[in-house]
Amino acid sequence: MTDISSTTPAGRKSLYVQDARTRRRNAAEKRFRAYGLTAIIIAVLMLAMLVFTILRNGSGAFTQTYLSLPVALDAQVLDPKGNRDPAEMASVLTLSYGQVLDRALETEIAALDLTIEGLGAGDANRLISRDASAQLRNRVLSDPELVGQVVDVNVLVNGRIDGYFKGRVTAETAARDANVSPQQLLLAQALADNGTMVTRFNWGFLTLPDASDQRPEAAGVGVAILGSLYMMLVVLVLSVPIGVGASIYLQEFAPKNRWTDMIEVNIANLAAVPSIVFGILGLAVFINFAGLPASAPIVGGLVLTLMTLPTIIIATRAALQSVPPSIRDAALGVGASRMQTVFHHVLPLAMPGILTGTILGLAQALGETAPLLLIGMVAFVREYPAAPPEGLFDPASALPVQVYNWTQRADPAFVERASGAIIVLLIFLLCMNLLAIYLRRKFERRW
Amino acid sequence: QSRDQVQVAGSSTVLPYATIVAELFGENFDFGSPVIESGGSSTGLRRFCEGVGENTIDIANSSREIRDTEVAECAANGVEEIMEVRIGYDGIVFASAQTGNSFEFTPSDWFNALSAKVVADGAIVDNTAANWSEVNPDLADQEILAFVPGTRHGTREVFDEKVIMQGCEDTGAMEVFVAEMGEDEGEAACMTLRTDGRSVDIDGDYTETLARIGSSPNGIGVFGLSFYENNTDTLQVATMGGVTPSTETIASGEYPVSRPLFIYVKKAHIGVIPGVKEFAEFFVSDAIAGPDGPLAAYGLVSDPELASVQQAVADEVTMQ
Amino acid sequence: MTMYDTTRPENAVDQQTIKIQARNVQVWYGQKQAIKDLNVEILDKTVTAFIGPSGCGKSTFLRCINRMNDTIDTARIEGEITIDGENIYDRRIDPVQLRAKVGMVFQKPNPFPKSIYDNVAYGPRIHGLARNKAEMDEIVERSLRGSALWNEVKDRLSEPGTGLSGGQQQRLCIARAVATSPEVLLMDEPCSALDPIATSQVEELIEQLRQQFSVVIVTHSMQQAARVSQKTAFFHLGNLVEYGDTDDIFTKPRDSRTEAYISGRIG
Amino acid sequence: MTMYDTTRPENAVDQQTIKIQARNVQVWYGQKQAIKDLNVEILDKTVTAFIGPSGCGKSTFLRCINRMNDTIDTARIEGEITIDGENIYDRRIDPVQLRAKVGMVFQKPNPFPKSIYDNVAYGPRIHGLARNKAEMDEIVERSLRGSALWNEVKDRLSEPGTGLSGGQQQRLCIARAVATSPEVLLMDEPCSALDPIATSQVEELIEQLRQQFSVVIVTHSMQQAARVSQKTAFFHLGNLVEYGDTDDIFTKPRDSRTEAYISGRIG
Amino acid sequence: MPMSWALFAALLLAVAGFYLGRSRACQAGGSDVRTLHSRPTYHGANVGLSVLLPALIVLALASGLRMAGVIPASSGAIAGLLALGAAVAGLGWAMTRIDSDFRARNAVERMVMGLMIFCSMIAIATTLGIVLSLIFETISFFGQYSLTEFFFGTTWSPRFEGNSRLGMLPLLWGTLYISFIALLVAVPIGLLAAIYLSEYASPRLRGFAKPAVEVLAGIPTIVYGLFALVTVGPMLRDWIAQPMGLGNSGSSVMTAGLVMGIMLIPFVSSLSDDIINAVPQSLRDGALGLGSTPSETVRSVVIPAALPGIVGAILLAASRAIGETMIVVLGAGAAATISGNPFEAMTTITVKIVSQLTGDNDFSSPETLVAFALGLTLFVITLALNVIALIIVRKYREQYE
Ligand SMILES: Nc1ncnc2c1ncn2[C@@H]1O[C@H](COP(=O)(O)OP(=O)(O)OP(=O)(O)O)[C@@H](O)[C@H]1O
Ligand SMILES: Nc1ncnc2c1ncn2[C@@H]1O[C@H](COP(=O)(O)OP(=O)(O)OP(=O)(O)O)[C@@H](O)[C@H]1O
Ligand SMILES: [Mg+2]
Ligand SMILES: [Mg+2]
C-alpha cells in the first residue's frame, strides 16, 4: 500500500490564522450568505412596498363621511294618492325621494344659517349620495305612516365630498373638476364644523354590495366576500384531496411507464395553461354541457379547482419524492402495506410541501380574475347569494373581480375602494392560510 | 324553478350605464338587480347566441351593431328573435394632462401624426413627424405620443374611421394611396398606424390610458366622454374641428366622433325570465335615458329618437 | 480454529422442517448481477448465519426473502423462493402479509422520525396485536427489554427515535421488528454497533426467538456466527459457496474459499 | 485477559506532544446531559481508542472535537477543547478550517448521492489538493486502495455511491475522509460493517496514518482497540472513567467499571 | 334536490355501515381479534366504502345522463332512489363478506387506489376538455385564415374591417422573452432566498419570512401591473433606457419581466425551501465533516439532491409566467413586435388571447377566433417544453440514500 499522507504539508499552521484558501472560501461563504439575505430582503422589501402602497391607497375605503339631517317627508310627492298603500307608493321612484332629500338639505342649510359665497342654486343638492334616496324609499315603504312626518336620517355623502375629508379632493382640484365646486367643499367643511357631517368607520364597505359608477361611496365588498368564500370552499374541498390523491398515486404507486410519464407531463403542462383558457373550458363544460348556472360560485370554484390542481400536484409530488427511501423500507419491513406506509409515514413527512402547494395554489385561486370572465363572474351583482349549498348556485362576484372592476371605473374614488378590496383580499388570504402555515411549522423537521 | 335575476353580459363601454340602470331597477322594482357581466361585446354576443334557456343570458350589451354573421350564428343556435335597442351615443374625446398644453385638433392632424405612411409632395413616405408642431404649426410644440385604444376596442374602429380615415381623405392622401395601391390596399394603408412607439395601443381600459398619461405627461389619450367628465380635474379635452365635445354637441351631431350603443334582448326570454322586458323598458325610459336622466348626467349622449326606441321595446319589435 | 472457542450453546440441529427454500435465485441490479444461481434451504426453529466478505450479496439475498427488493427500481430477481412451501414471488402472494410474517432488521438503523414508543408500537398497531393501551405498553416494554434498550430509554419513551445514539437506534430497530412477532426474522448485522454486553443480550434474544421461529442473521463476526447459529451459509462474490452446520463450516470447511475466509485470508 | 492475544504492533507510546486537550467538557442535548465533566489529553501520532457501552457519549465527544455538534440545534457544549493549544471553541476559530484539519468518519455511512469518484474527490476538490485531473485520479485511487475498496469499485467509479452495499459505503466514507489528508482523523466505528479482511486492511491504514497524524477511533471491539490503539479511553454514562495506555487498560484496569466492561459484565 | 338528499342519506348510511362493519368484525374475530386477516377498522371502512361508492357512481351517472339530456330533468327522484338502493345493496353485500379470512384491508386499499387513480385521471380529463373546447373554434379559425400565415407570419395587426394580419411569431417571441426575464429575476432570488431560509435563517426569521414572501403570490396581479406601469416603467425609462439610448417607451419587456419576477419569487423560494429542508441532515454532516463551508455543502450536495423538486418549482414559476396577463398588459404594453431590445414594448400570447376574446370584435370572425388558435398553439408549445424538461430532469436526478 502506498503512503497515504504524502501530500500533507509539513509545517503546522495555527487554526487562529486562516490560510489564503480558507480566507477565500470564507469570503465566498460570506458572499453567498449575503446573497441569500439580500434575496430575502429584496423579496420582503418588495412586499413591504406593495403592501404599503395598498394600505396607503386603500385605508380610506374603511372610513366614510355621513350626514345627518331631518327630512320632511312630503306627502304630495311621496304618496300622491294619499292612501298610504305601499303598493301604490312603490310607483314613486327613488328619483323623487332624491328631490325630497335635496330640499331637506337646503332647509337645513338655511336653518343653520350657513352662507357660502358663490354657492349656486342646487349646488347643495349634490352633497348627498344618490344612494340615500333608495334608503329613504325603503324606509318609507316599510312604514308608510312616516309620510308627512319629519324624520331624522343619516345618509352617505357624495364621493367627492367624502374625498375632500380624506384629502383626495382639494379646493384646487375642485376648481378644475366639473363634478364638484370649491364652494361645495366650503359648505361641507362648514357642515362638518358644526357636527352635521362626520367621517367614521365604514362597516358598509365590508357588508354592502357593489354600487354603480355614480355611487362610489356606497360600494362595498359584501357580495364579493361571500362569492370568494363560497368559491374557496369548493376549491378547498375538492382540490386538496384530489391533488394529494393524484400525487400519491403518481409518485408512489403508478408503474413507471410511458402512460405515467404522459400524465406527469400533462399535469406540468396544465400549470402553463393561461387561466383564461380554464374559463373557456368552464364555459364549455360546466355551463353549456353540464347546464350549471352562469355567474355561480360553484362553477367558479370548479374552474379554479382545475386551475389550482397542477400547483398542488407538482408541490406534493416534489415533497413526496424528497422523503428518504429508508423510511419507506422501515415501514414496509414491519409489514405495513404500501398504502399504510404512505399514509402513516411518508405523507406526514411530505406535509410541509403539500401545505406550501396548497398555500400557493389557493393564493393563486383567490386572486384570479381571468377565468371568471368567461363564466360570468366578472359581474355587477347587487343581490347577496343565499347560504350554502343553494347559495353556491346563486350569482355572486368575487374579491379579485371587484378589484378588477373598480380599477376600471371612471370615478377616481374607486381607486381607493379597489385598494380597500385588495386589503380585504389579503386579509382573507392570510386567514385562509393561517392554519396551513401553522400546520406547516408543526410538521417541519429535519432527520 | 327559474332564475331570479335578469342576466346581462357584454361591452365594457355599456357596462357603467347598465350598472346605473340595474341599480335603480333593483331599488324600484321587485325583480332584484340584474347581474351585469363585462367581458366585451364579443363575449357578450357569443354568450347571447349560445341558445335559449335558463343558463344563457337574456340581454347582450354591445358597443357596436350585431354583425350578420353573428345573427346567423344566433339563428343556428335557436336564438331567432332578437330585439335591438339603441340606448344612446358614446362620445369619443381626445384629452391630455391638465397641466400641459391645450390642443385644437382636426382629423388631418391625427392622420399626419400617426399614420404609418403619409404623402409629402405627392410621394408616399414613411411618417417621421416627431412633434405636433411639425404636423401643424398651430399646434403646441410637444412630442407626439398618442395612447389609442387597442384593436380589441370598439372605440378603435370609430377612431380609425372617423378620425384617421377622415384625415386621410381630408389631406388628400387617400387619393394618392388608392392610385398607388388600389382601392382596398389604399384604404388599409390609410388606417395603418406607425409602430415606432409614437402611437401606443392600449389594450386595457381608460384607467390605464389615464395612468399612462400620469407617467408620461406628454401623452394624449383617447377617452370616452363620460370617463373624461369624471376626471376633469386631471384631464383637459381637445377640440375636434373646432367643436368642444359635450353631450349637447354630440347629440346635435356637431362633434363628429361618436358611436351608438346597443342592448340586444332575447325575445324568447320575455315572460320566461321575470323582469327582462321591464328592465329593457326601464333602461330606455325618459327618466333614465332622457337628456335629464342619470345616464346623461354620467355622460351618455341621449338618443334624439328615444321615443321611437321606447315604442319598439314596448311592442317587442325584433330585428328585420 | 481456536479463535472461536468462546462459550456457545449446543449447535445441534434437530430434525426440522424446511422453512424457506431458494431455488436458482439470481438477482440483478440493472446490469450488475449481485446473486448468482443460489440454492439454499433454511430450517424452521433454527438460527442461520450468512457470512462472507462485504459486498458479496448477503443483504441482497436477505431482502429477497421478504421481497424488500421490490422497492428498488433497478433490482430484478429470477428463480423461486418458497416459504412454508409457497412461492413468495407468486402473483397471489400479498407482500404485505409476507412481510408481516417475515420481519426484518436493516443494516443501517432506520428509526421512524416518531417517538421511541411509537416506533415500537407501530407494527403491533397495524397488525392489531394489542387490544388496549395496557397490552400495547406491555408489548413495547417486552420488545425493548428483549433488545436490551429498555433501561436506557424507559424515561424518554416519548422522545424521537432519531435522537438516539447509533447503537441505541440499532437496538430500537430490533425491538421494532420483534414487536410484531414475525415467524421469520431477518437481521442484517444487528449487532454491528453494539458493545459486547448489548451484543450478548441480543444474542440471548435470538436464542429465545429460535425456540419458536426461524432467524436469519448476517454477521461479520465469525465468533458471533459460531455462538448463535446452527447453520451457516458462506457467500462469496454473489455465490453461495458453502452451506452447512455451523460447526462443520468453522471446523472443516469443504471449499477452499470458505477456509481462506474464515482463516482471514480472503476478503 | 488472554482473550486479546492477537498479533498487534508495539503499543509503546513515544514521548509525544499533546494534540488535543479537553478540559471540563460538558455536553447537553436539550435537558439531557450526554457528557459530564470530561478531561482528556490526546497525543499526536497516536491511535486513541474510545470504548464504552452504547449510548455512553463516545460519538458525542467525537463530534465535539471537530465541532460537528454545531449542526445539532439542541446540542450545547461547555468547557474547552484545544487542538495544538488552540481553543477550538474560540470565536476566532473557523470551523471550516478546523474540520479540514480534523476529518471524520461517521457512524452511519453517509455517501453523497453522487458517483463513487465524486464522493472521494469531493474533499480534495474543495481544498484544492489536486492541481489537475491526473493528480485527482491518483488521490482517489490511493484513498480507495487505502480503505480496501479499490478492487471492488474500480470498474464502476461513475456509479452512484448510494448503490453500494453497507460495508462498501462504510469504506467509501473512510476513503472520502482520508482523501483530504486531515491531521487528526476521527473514526466512529469505522469497521462495524466490515468483514475481517477489510477490517484488517483498514487497521493497517490506521497504523500507517498514525505515523504522521493523530487518529481517534471509536470501537466496540475490544480486540480491535487492543490491536490498533496505543491509548484507550473508557466511557461510561457520559463519564470518562479511565484513560491510559491500552495495554494497561486491558491488563490492569484501575476502575472497577472498566474491569467489569472489558470482562463483559456491564454494558 | 332529491339527488342531494340521496347523497346525504348515502353518507349517513356509510357512516353507520362503518360502525356496523367494525363491530361485526370484532364479533367474527371472537375473543381474539388477531385471528382476523384485517383489522376491524378496515372491515368497517370496507363496508362504508361499499355503501358510498355505488351510490356515488349511480348519482354521477344519473347527473351525467341528465346533463346530456338522455333522461329528463324530472328523473332526479328516481335516480335518488336508485342510488339509495345501490347503497343498501352495497351494505348488505359487504356485511355478508365479513369473516376472519376476508381481506378487508386489501379491499379498502383497492378502492382507495381506485379513487386515487380517478383523481389522477382528472388531469387527463382536464387536458382533454381543454383541447376539445379549443379545437372546434380553432378549426373554424383555420377555415378562415391561412395556416402558414398564422404560424410563420411576423406581423400581428388585427383590424375591425377584416383583412387582419395574424402572425403569431411576435407574440411567441414576446412570451419567451418576457418569461425568460421574469425567470432571470425569480429563480436566483427565489433559490437564494430558499437556501438562506432553510440553511442559515433562525427559526424566527424563517417563521416570519416564508409566509411573508408567500403573500407575494397572493397579491392580485393588477397591483403588480399598476406597480409596473406607474413606478417601474417610468423608472427604467428615465434612468436606463433613455440615457443609454435604448428607447423611450414607458412599458417594456424589462418592466414586465422584473415585476413578474417578483411575483414568482415565492413559487421558487417556498417550494424549494421545503425540498431543501427535506434533504437528510446526514448528507450535510458528510460534507461539513470534510471541511466544506455551508455554502459549498449547499451547492454541491444539498442542491443536487433536491434538484428534481427545485426544477419542478422553477417549471411551475415558468408556467405562471407564461400564463400571466395583467402584468404584461400594464407593464409591457400591447405592441406585437419582434426585437431584441428589452426596453421595447412587446406582448405575449396570453395577453392576446384575453384581449381578442374579450374585445368588441365580431365573435365569429378570425380576429376573435384567433384566441382559440393561440390557446391551442401555446398548449402544444408548452407541452413540448415540458417533455424536454422531463427528459433533462430524468438525466440529472440524484437519489439520496
Ligand atoms: N441528537 C440527539 N438528541 C438527543 N439526545 C441524543 C442525541 N444524540 C445522542 N443523544 C443521546 O446522548 C447519549 C450519548 O449518545 P452518543 O451518540 O454519544 O452515544 P455513543 O457512545 O456514540 O453510543 P453508540 O455506541 O450507541 O453509538 C445517548 O444517551 C443518546 O441517546
Ligand atoms: N441498490 C443497488 N444498486 C446497485 N448495486 C447494488 C445496490 N445494492 C447493492 N449493490 C451491489 O450488489 C452487491 C451486493 O450487495 P449487498 O448489499 O448484498 O452486499 P452485502 O453482502 O450485504 O455487503 P455488506 O456486508 O457490505 O453489507 C454489491 O456489489 C453492491 O455494490
Ligand atoms: Mg449488507
Ligand atoms: Mg455512536
Side-chain angles (χ1 to χ4, degrees), chain C residues 23-27 33 35-39 238-240:
Chain C
R23 270 188 236 112
N24 306 328
V25 173
Q26 317 219 22
V27 184
Q33 186 162 13
I35 302 269
K36 293 168 196 151
D37 204 24
L38 182 146
N39 287 284
N239 295 302
L240 177 70

Side-chain angles (χ1 to χ4, degrees), chain A residues 137 176 178 213 215 380 383, chain B residues 23 27 33 36 232-233 298:
Chain A
R137 179 168 181 270
R176 296 192 300 257
D213 272 37
R215 313 176 178 175
F380 175 80
E383 310 285 326
Chain B
E23 190 173 59
E27 281 165 7
S33 286
I36 318 279
T232 46
D233 55 335
Y298 189 69

Side-chain angles (χ1 to χ4, degrees), chain C residues 165-166, chain D residues 59 107 188-189:
Chain C
S165 83
Chain D
S59 302
Q107 187 165 9
D188 202 345
E189 307 196 24

